Amino acid sequence: MSGVWLLSIIYLAFISLGLPDSLLGVAWPVMRTEFGADLEVAGWLFMTIAGGTIISSLFSGKILNRFETSHVTAFCAAITAGSLLGFYFAPSLLWLFLLAIPLGLGAGVVDAALNHFVATRYKAHHMNWLHCFWGVGATTGPLIMAAMMSESGDWRNGYLTVALVQFGLALLLVLSVPLWKQAPVAIAAPPEDLSLHGTQAKRLTGLPFALASFVLYCGAEALIGLWGSSYLVQVKSFSVETAATWISVYYGSITVGRFLSGFLSLRMTNRQLIRLGQGTALLGSLLFFLPFDGLMLTGFILIGLGLAPIYPAMLHETPVRFGQDAAKRLMGVQMAFAYSGSTFLPPLFGVLASFLTLQLFPVTGFLMILFLLLCSERLNRVLAKRALSRAS
């Protein structure tokens, strides 16, 4: 029974990670007017948040070797809650940048800690459902912000509401600390896939392609979440509220997709789920090129459903690809590269759009998903050759 409660707490912790992720993109059309900021400043703010997650992800292995996962999770959840409360009170754009730093630092450690904890102790369907709860937070965030802006026209109330929810989750995490001591022991990866033989270099064969896949995945997911609303408002002349709803649908499709992927993972391997997701997302991105605005909503849904299983499956595959011994260290490294995609690619697109046009949004999304597919398939070929050489 304690195991069920612990899993429930972990799922709720991932809600706290997802809630803030989609707020900035939805609120930015209103925020930039209040602060007199240019369009691309949203990208720099987003980059500051993600930059904090990169730093904390890289050091997450050392942090987790020193402190318990339960303590780290509760402490960092409180940090993110305080940062979001600071957004509510922020008197200027400078304060938003300062508060973005602890917001990113707190999220990065929690993300790496929980992903490693689940990848090494639970089966693949739990990893998908865990990230489904991230999607619950990411879907709820825009709805909260849209509701607050519709009611009062003030984006600050959206951040206040999310901050209060975060404080509640942080308190719940503190109270749940005793449950973590009853967690199941780490699950050993299949012996034939552990890669425990040979040199360190052989065990890490294909790592560059894995890291590139994480960069491209998070870059594509963040690009659509951050700039989709601005594209709909400024290029397609949608209202702010309608655009926010569509982005919420996008995150909602990721949530539903990960819930369904949990069941699919009972019959499909991680690699099969990754391929299925990439093909679906690529199809959705192609709908943006058709001259029918209504089909764009279908495109957002298909991209969200397609992206859904990719990230959890890649994370859960880490011990299989590179060995149990390297999993804790590589989990943080992979997530640091993932956040690098979130950090640099959407802001770079913001600069590009400022100098050229936001109409490049569909092309950029399509190319990122396409290269994600190519890197992933290249990694599969490298790993297949490694397995053949070991068997011979």
Side-chain angles (χ1 to χ4, degrees):
M1 188 65 181
S2 60
V4 174
W5 282 109
L6 177 58
L7 272 174
S8 300
I9 296 298
I10 294 174
Y11 290 157
L12 289 176
F14 250 71
I15 291 179
S16 72
L17 280 173
L19 276 172
D21 284 358
S22 51
L23 292 179
L24 181 61
V26 173
W28 187 245
V30 178
M31 293 174 70
R32 63 176 291 216
T33 301
E34 178 178 332
F35 290 113
D38 295 329
L39 174 68
E40 67 269 19
V41 174
W44 300 119
L45 265 173
F46 195 85
M47 186 174 74
T48 304
I49 296 171
T53 63
I54 293 173
I55 295 172
S56 58
S57 294
L58 286 172
F59 287 97
S60 63
K62 293 183 178 180
I63 294 172
L64 292 174
N65 283 332
R66 185 171 181 180
F67 302 102
E68 296 291 334
T69 300
S70 57
H71 298 162
V72 171
T73 304
F75 179 72
C76 290
I79 290 177
T80 59
S83 301
L84 291 169
L85 185 61
F87 267 61
Y88 171 75
F89 289 107
S92 67
L93 195 61
L94 174 61
W95 278 98
L96 293 182
F97 277 98
L98 293 175
L99 291 163
I101 297 173
L103 180 61
L105 289 173
V109 177
V110 173
D111 207 357
L114 293 180
N115 276 294
H116 175 262
F117 190 86
V118 174
T120 56
R121 287 173 172 81
Y122 297 96
K123 295 184 178 180
H125 58 279
H126 285 300
M127 180 66 84
N128 279 284
W129 289 334
L130 175 71
H131 285 267
C132 173
F133 272 67
W134 172 88
V136 171
T139 304
T140 305
L143 294 177
I144 293 174
M145 183 61 72
M148 294 298 104
M149 289 194 297
S150 297
E151 181 178 325
S152 62
D154 191 353
W155 59 270
R156 295 177 184 272
N157 289 334
Y159 273 98
L160 175 62
T161 303
V162 173
L164 294 176
V165 173
Q166 290 270 50
F167 276 118
L169 287 169
L171 177 60
L172 185 61
L173 287 166
V174 171
L175 297 175
S176 71
V177 166
L179 293 177
W180 294 72
K181 298 177 181 179
Q182 304 173 39
V185 297
I187 298 174
E192 68 273 17
D193 290 331
L194 274 179
S195 308
L196 292 177
H197 305 289
T199 64
Q200 179 73 6
K202 288 183 179 180
R203 292 201 299 270
L204 298 182
T205 300
L207 180 60
F209 296 106
L211 297 178
S213 297
F214 276 97
V215 171
L216 289 167
Y217 171 83
C218 275
E221 182 188 274
L223 175 88
I224 295 167
L226 181 63
W227 295 112
S229 181
S230 295
Y231 176 77
L232 292 173
V233 171
Q234 298 186 30
V235 177
K236 296 297 182 179
S237 301
F238 283 63
S239 68
V240 172
E241 291 77 16
T242 300
T245 301
W246 279 37
I247 298 302
S248 181
V249 168
Y250 160 67
Y251 282 109
S253 65
I254 295 178
T255 304
V256 173
R258 285 177 176 165
F259 178 74
L260 296 175
S261 296
F263 294 103
L264 290 175
S265 67
L266 298 175
R267 294 185 174 274
M268 300 176 67
T269 66
N270 286 326
R271 292 185 188 182
Q272 290 172 333
L273 282 173
I274 291 170
R275 284 195 179 108
L276 176 62
Q278 289 167 342
T280 303
L282 198 62
L283 175 62
S285 67
L286 288 173
L287 295 182
F288 282 69
F289 295 97
L290 299 180
F292 306 102
D293 290 349
L295 283 178
M296 287 183 59
L297 179 59
T298 304
F300 276 113
I301 293 172
L302 286 177
I303 293 173
L305 289 173
L307 293 179
I310 298 174
Y311 190 63
M314 289 195 301
L315 289 172
H316 196 265
E317 193 75 355
T318 302
V320 176
R321 288 173 172 174
F322 307 112
Q324 195 73 262
D325 292 344
K328 180 181 289 188
R329 177 173 59 86
L330 287 182
M331 191 67 73
V333 172
Q334 287 180 151
M335 298 187 73
F337 272 79
Y339 281 119
S340 295
S342 302
T343 301
F344 296 109
L345 298 185
L348 285 175
F349 173 77
V351 174
L352 183 66
S354 296
F355 282 102
L356 298 176
T357 173
L358 264 175
Q359 293 182 11
L360 291 172
F361 172 76
V363 178
T364 306
F366 169 77
L367 290 176
M368 291 175 69
I369 296 171
L370 176 63
F371 282 113
L372 168 63
L373 173 62
L374 295 176
C375 283
S376 180
E377 288 304 309
R378 178 59 179 164
L379 173 61
N380 288 336
R381 287 195 292 272
V382 169
L383 294 177
K385 288 181 180 179
R386 187 188 70 184
L388 285 174
S389 65
R390 191 188 310 132
S392 60

